[in-house]
Amino acid sequence: MHDTSTGSTGNTARPSRRAVLAAGAGLTAALTVPTTAHAAAPGAPDERRLRALVSGMTLEEKVGQLFVMRVYGHSATAPDQADVDANLKEIGVRTAAELIAKYRVGGIIYFTWAHNTRDPQQIADLSNGIQRASLEQPRGLPALIATDQEHGAVCRVGRPATLFPGAMAIGAGGRRADARTLGRISGAELRAMGINQDYSPDADVNVNPANPVIGVRSFGADPEAVAELVAAEVKGYQASRVAATAKHFPGHGDTAVDSHYGFPVITHSRELWEKLDAVPFRAAIEAGIDSIMTAHIQFPALDGSGDPATLSHPVLTGILRGELGYDGVVITDSLGMEGVRTKYGDDRVPVLALQAGVDQLLNPPRLDVAWQAVLRAVQGGELTEARLDESILRILRLKARLGLFRDPYADPGDVDRTVGTRAHLAAAGRIAERTTTLLVNEGDLLPLDHRREGRLLVVGADPASPSGTTGPPTAVLAAALTGLGFITTALSTGTAPSATTIGKAVAAAQDADAVVVGTYNVTAGSAQRTLVDRLLATGKPVVVVAVRNPYDVAQLPSARAVLATYCWTDVELRAAARVIAGRVAPRGKLPVPVQRADDPTRVLYRIGHGLTY
């Protein structure tokens, strides 16, 4: 897995413990820290010394500690030229090391598109380079290195790391032990690569089938069930010394607007919020959640000002801190999203967020603008330095709990011993088998028998695969079914198949004994409906696999066999193939209700529906 070309970056060697302590300097080296995210009192970080660290920082260093920033490149010191150019254009620095030296940021966020996550050894090298650059500064501090490793539809670190079913699939499985296993294994692999904060789990209760931004990222629509799984996943991450992050407070599960591109409004009453949205966040807090991410949504019942929750003092300080009693780290969702930029300029947003009660400012579109705005707000008296100190102390407590003052570096040997091991991959596969949900099976069409339906045509929407999976879905399904004894042909038909493409699929079906068709977000006017209907008209057995939203079943009333996988990652598709072939029985249960397509006020399939054989 190790690319020897990274050896020239200067990020490969793991410094000695003595070097770590020397780089930390002074009080940093003297801190005592726990071995787990939430240790008993004897191992707790020394609060007096943490406060001394804060008091010894310059104002500029304090401002920097509040920011978590993106940076392009696979290396902290020697990224590719294209990434240098991107960094100069967007941030005004060449490398991650220069970013840290100039702004003293407290954290870095990894993205696939920023070329941070090529392979596990490279990621570990990058993490070590970032930590070294941060610790080598005057009064150097370890960095929080974060990413969005939700699993399912949202993953930044791909193969050969272990990829699990997404949240709604875990909800369909309904086992707290599986959610905890996901957190424990995912956390162990992230930590081995030097990533110590994960923006997961999603604590939103998805009660809107039209939700374009949450959907299958949520565990489901039952707040109590979501709460149990959120708490279990948090415990799993804590066991692996990775900070979990519950998101998106106060709840993003009932919106038809994507806050990346618009400004959603949640119309729940305060009473409904207490019974629905608040429940998983309360559970996360009781489980000792390390950080909570805000939502760029307007929630009039909680704050009538029209401000997004990210900038709302009543929501973040009044409710989250005051009523729910949370005193951990509060981080914004990305400040580059339209939901938080609609009402105020990029120079006002970070200041207002801090006034509202935020601790970490995530990924502003212009770091120079945001950083200078916070600095000027303190210098001009709009923000007090004491207010910054509150947030920095929370951030340092988190770093101490994670053991970053003791040893922030990734061990290259741990990468090979931990990431994508056979045991981890097998665990993900077993969990996936418990999530596949059989919604319809008229006439016991499923399971298929390779001796009876030996020739299969696999067609489907083939959306772009989530980060790091092989894809496309039709090819993954076909390969898995071939391995189970079928002779398969794969034909990608797209999310909006043309009449010509549909005709090709129908013609190909004539030479098959059965057809497997993958659907993706089918709507009333979708050409995917026409494709399924035309395939059914051939008289061949047709198995529909809804590879994202289970709501597809409502748009396909003529289908005689329908499975839901809740995501189109390889692990879920291979599990679905085993169910189709009868190697395992379907055990998933719907974690959300499915309404009728012709009358959304009526439920077609209730929470808990799921067939087996």
Side-chain angles (χ1 to χ4, degrees):
M1 288 189 296
H2 179 51
D3 180 358
T4 56
S5 66
T6 62
S8 62
T9 67
N11 296 344
T12 305
R14 185 174 188 267
S16 67
R17 176 176 169 80
R18 179 174 296 176
V20 173
L21 298 180
L27 290 170
T28 304
L31 286 169
T32 57
V33 293
T35 57
T36 61
H38 290 273
D46 188 317
E47 184 77 4
R48 177 182 62 82
R49 287 175 172 160
L50 288 178
R51 291 182 181 275
L53 280 178
V54 176
S55 66
M57 296 167 66
T58 68
L59 176 57
E60 290 78 8
E61 288 166 351
K62 291 179 179 181
V63 172
Q65 277 295 299
L66 304 173
F67 285 94
V68 179
M69 190 61 185
R70 70 190 179 278
V71 64
Y72 291 87
H74 72 286
S75 161
T77 56
D80 294 339
Q81 186 60 47
D83 293 321
V84 171
D85 295 341
N87 285 328
L88 287 169
K89 179 180 179 180
E90 295 186 18
I91 316 173
V93 298
R94 296 169 55 84
T95 67
E98 288 183 12
L99 166 66
I100 291 165
K102 182 173 182 178
Y103 290 104
R104 299 301 296 273
V105 294
I108 298 288
I109 179 173
Y110 288 171
F111 290 106
T112 310
W113 51 260
H115 309 140
N116 304 139
T117 57
R118 288 181 178 178
D119 64 73
Q121 284 289 357
Q122 168 270 316
I123 296 169
D125 292 345
L126 173 61
S127 299
N128 285 344
I130 287 168
Q131 295 293 4
R132 184 179 300 105
S134 188
L135 286 166
E136 287 177 349
Q137 299 303 313
R139 295 166 298 281
L141 295 169
L144 284 169
I145 299 177
T147 198
D148 292 287
Q149 193 77 349
E150 295 179 16
H151 293 277
V154 177
C155 271
R156 310 303 186 200
V157 180
R159 289 174 45 137
T162 304
L163 299 177
F164 284 86
M168 193 171 284
I170 299 295
R175 289 166 52 106
R176 285 174 290 179
D178 286 347
R180 185 163 185 155
T181 296
L182 183 158
R184 177 180 57 80
I185 292 177
S186 178
E189 296 195 3
L190 292 175
R191 184 75 188 211
M193 293 179 278
I195 298 170
N196 48 55
Q197 185 174 23
D198 190 13
Y199 298 144
S200 188
D202 192 305
D204 300 312
V205 183
N206 198 79
V207 293
N208 189 338
N211 195 323
V213 64
I214 304 302
V216 295
R217 297 167 62 194
S218 162
F219 287 110
D222 179 341
E224 297 295 339
V226 172
E228 289 185 352
L229 295 172
V230 165
E233 187 173 311
V234 168
K235 291 295 187 182
Y237 277 107
Q238 288 171 348
S240 294
R241 297 185 304 135
V242 167
T245 307
K247 60 188 184 185
H248 309 80
F249 190 82
H252 209 317
D254 188 10
T255 172
V257 175
D258 186 341
S259 53
H260 289 84
Y261 309 108
F263 189 14
V265 179
I266 306 294
T267 58
H268 293 181
S269 66
R270 173 61 189 252
E271 181 182 26
L272 181 57
W273 177 81
E274 291 278 2
K275 294 179 179 178
L276 187 74
D277 307 279
V279 176
F281 289 101
R282 289 184 187 276
I285 292 169
E286 290 173 5
I289 188 71
D290 297 288
S291 52
I292 291 178
M293 181 178 286
T294 67
H296 303 326
I297 56 174
Q298 188 181 159
F299 213 128
L302 305 184
D303 179 358
S305 70
D307 286 344
T310 297
L311 309 182
S312 170
H313 190 275
V315 170
L316 299 186
T317 298
I319 295 175
L320 181 56
R321 297 234 188 260
E323 296 180 24
L324 301 189
Y326 178 64
D327 193 37
V329 171
V330 174
I331 183 169
T332 70
D333 206 342
S334 171
L335 296 183
M337 294 165 58
E338 281 304 311
V340 78
R341 302 174 75 189
T342 299
K343 192 174 178 182
Y344 301 100
D346 291 338
D347 59 335
R348 295 299 302 152
V349 165
V351 175
L352 295 173
L354 291 168
Q355 289 178 333
V358 157
D359 300 307
Q360 286 186 304
L361 302 161
L362 176 63
N363 202 28
R366 288 282 306 276
L367 179 58
D368 57 342
V369 170
W371 193 93
Q372 290 289 347
V374 175
L375 182 66
R376 286 195 303 270
V378 178
Q379 292 171 335
E382 186 178 10
L383 284 171
T384 66
E385 195 164 349
R387 169 66 194 86
L388 267 59
D389 291 352
E390 292 176 15
S391 289
I392 294 163
L393 189 57
R394 291 190 187 101
I395 294 166
L396 293 185
R397 287 181 189 134
L398 176 55
K399 292 180 179 183
R401 284 201 305 272
L402 294 173
L404 298 181
F405 287 101
R406 183 183 67 253
D407 189 357
Y409 292 98
D411 183 339
D414 285 343
V415 175
D416 293 332
R417 288 188 294 267
T418 306
V419 179
T421 65
R422 184 175 298 179
H424 288 178
L425 295 172
R430 289 192 298 270
I431 289 172
E433 288 178 352
R434 293 190 277 270
T435 69
T436 307
T437 307
L438 180 59
L439 301 175
V440 179
N441 194 24
E442 294 178 7
D444 292 333
L445 190 152
L446 284 171
L448 300 181
D449 187 331
H450 67 86
R451 293 163 298 187
R452 184 179 62 242
E453 295 101 4
R455 295 172 301 167
L456 297 184
L457 172 66
V458 181
V459 302
D462 276 349
S465 291
S467 298
T469 64
T470 55
T474 52
V476 174
L477 271 172
L481 289 164
T482 297
L484 294 168
F486 295 90
I487 299 170
T488 60
T489 300
L491 175 62
S492 178
T493 49
T495 55
S498 66
T500 300
T501 299
I502 292 172
K504 289 180 180 178
V506 170
Q510 304 302 323
D511 296 324
D513 298 314
V515 180
V516 176
V517 54
T519 63
Y520 183 91
N521 295 359
V522 181
T523 60
S526 172
Q528 293 180 69
R529 291 186 65 181
T530 305
L531 171 66
V532 173
D533 287 342
R534 290 283 305 279
L535 290 169
L536 287 167
T538 66
K540 304 285 186 177
V542 175
V543 178
V544 173
V545 181
V547 300
R548 183 165 183 155
N549 288 324
Y551 312 114
D552 286 6
V553 66
Q555 300 291 345
L556 304 169
S558 299
R560 294 175 51 213
V562 182
L563 288 165
T565 66
Y566 309 97
C567 198
W568 58 110
T569 48
D570 298 357
V571 67
E572 288 147 316
L573 296 174
R574 287 195 292 260
R578 294 193 291 275
V579 169
I580 290 169
R583 298 299 178 90
V584 296
R587 286 180 275 176
K589 305 293 182 184
L590 273 177
V592 294
V594 175
Q595 282 83 18
R596 292 176 60 107
D598 58 352
D599 184 359
T601 64
R602 298 172 62 191
V603 174
L604 179 64
Y605 297 114
R606 299 186 180 279
I607 291 176
H609 172 77
L611 308 175
T612 192
Y613 39 79

